[in-house]
Amino acid sequence: MAQKYEVRQLQQTQQQVKPNPFENALEQLRIAAEHLKLDEGIHQILAHPKRQLTVSLPVKMDDGSTKVFTGYRVQYNDARGPFKGGIRYHPGVTLDEVKALAAWMTWKTSVANIPYGGAKGGIICDPKHMSAGENERMTRRFAASITPIIGPYKDIPAPDVYTNSQTMAWILDTYNTIVGLMSPAVITGKPISLGGSLGRDKATGRGAVYTTVEAAKVNKVDLKKATFAVQGFGNAGANFAEILQTYGPKLRGASDSKGAIMSKAGMDAAKLVAHKEKTGSVVGFPGSQEISDKELLQMDVDILSPAALENSILPDIARGVKAKIITECANGPTTPEADKILHANGVFMIPDILANSGGVIVSYLEWVQNLERNYWTEDEVNSMLEKKITSAFRDVHAASLKHNVDMRTGAMIVGVGRVAEAVRTLGVFP
Ligand code: NAD
């Protein structure tokens, strides 16, 4: 068991020396700029975050010691509306990762055509080895440190990897205490009792399913007979699996940070969620067998969803991918080089900024409900999500056909194009 843990640690260390995600993001931007024939000045503006804040967070630990954590908030671009983006807690967080995620948020809100810019935050920490009290004190110190630059019309954070609705509640309470308001619209992904939206917890997975349903139509994949695998059985991945299986496809493979499993007969996603809740991992699910991460990503399935972290589909993996459709629930799971290989091999890519935009779409709906003090039913929220994300899929698909490019480039053409137009119209101050 100890040896297995070390192997996993090694894999994670190797992941950290993988390509710089911000360089990937700039390369994707460069390709879009070329297709859009962007003015070089606008391209340069879009290649730089507007503001990057690094904060040091002294936290009293349970053993009486004080530990200083490092946190970031990167506000990438707000030409189309207030900055918007999640906060990630992970030992592998780097400023370049946060910058990349903030850039992708900018294109994502634009593709979804919601009136936001893009931002992202993160703290270098290992929440799995922190108590709830330590996590709360670190979160509140971070919230206090970023309070001057966030606000309902400035920058609206949300959850990301290893943060949840409780984290959002602590940030909301800290912000409210400092500014002296009850301002639920400063953050999304809140608990329902504090003004969270019905449907927000499953929105990323649900939105990814709606895009997959559209992709299946375009690619003539019969969902009733289809199979799929999910890397990263967390919020996004597990909800994607649970909702997608209601359309017919069978879940053949799944993984989390502790390992990967497969079952030829298929697995019930809800039962797998219950197993993970009980044991802490998908590994050991009755009737499944353990496989490597590479085997999972190269499984003979119709649909593959990378739903963990960046850089999981590298060129070596891409060459062996058998899936017809990739639904990127995660942000930045495919490197630009791997993208080219997948495209050449005829794999239909639903890129992250489209596939996982359901989360930010319902965050937007939550913010609108908070500002209006008027709340919708879950069915109303889900149907607005379906309408918005399906329309985004169609815009991206139309752009990819018009420019004769893959779906990622199509999404970047739509996303970057709208932001570029807003930046050009605003002009350069002073
Ligand atoms: P989460 O913490 O709920 O789940 C992450 C899952 O990935 C966990 O099950 C973890 O065990 C697993 N994991 C971590 N390292 C792994 C590895 N090396 N191999 C396999 N599995 C691994 O996080 P989440 O919110 O589901 O986010 C997952 C991805 O989706 C991230 O890229 C995030 O940016 C993206 N995303 C999430 C949302 C959202 O609303 N939750 C929205 C948009 C994008």
Side-chain angles (χ1 to χ4, degrees), residues 202 204-216 221-230 233 236-253 267-270 301-305 325-327 329 350:
K202 294 186 191 298
T204 302
R206 180 176 294 281
V209 169
Y210 293 143
T211 63
T212 307
V213 169
E214 290 302 304
V221 169
D222 180 358
L223 286 180
K224 292 264 175 288
K225 295 186 193 141
T227 53
F228 71 110
V230 176
F233 213 67
N239 282 311
F240 173 75
E242 270 199 68
I243 299 167
L244 186 61
Q245 71 181 10
T246 65
Y247 287 77
K250 264 200 181 124
L251 176 64
R252 283 257 173 90
M267 301 175 279
D268 179 73
V301 286
D302 298 291
I303 301 154
L304 171 69
S305 180
I325 296 170
I326 293 185
T327 308
C329 280
I350 316 176

Side-chain angles (χ1 to χ4, degrees), residues 8 12 15 88 101 108 120 128 159-162 200 204 231-237 255-258 276 293 307-310 329-331 356 359:
R8 205 68 203 165
Q12 282 169 359
Q15 265 193 355
R88 173 176 295 192
L101 291 163
K108 189 185 299 181
K120 203 81 184 189
K128 282 187 181 169
D160 190 67
V161 176
Y162 298 140
R200 174 62 184 88
T204 302
Q231 182 206 38
F233 213 67
N235 176 305
S255 74
D256 58 28
S257 61
K258 302 216 173 79
K276 185 168 159 69
D293 201 43
L309 295 169
E310 300 90 69
C329 280
N331 284 307
N356 69 36

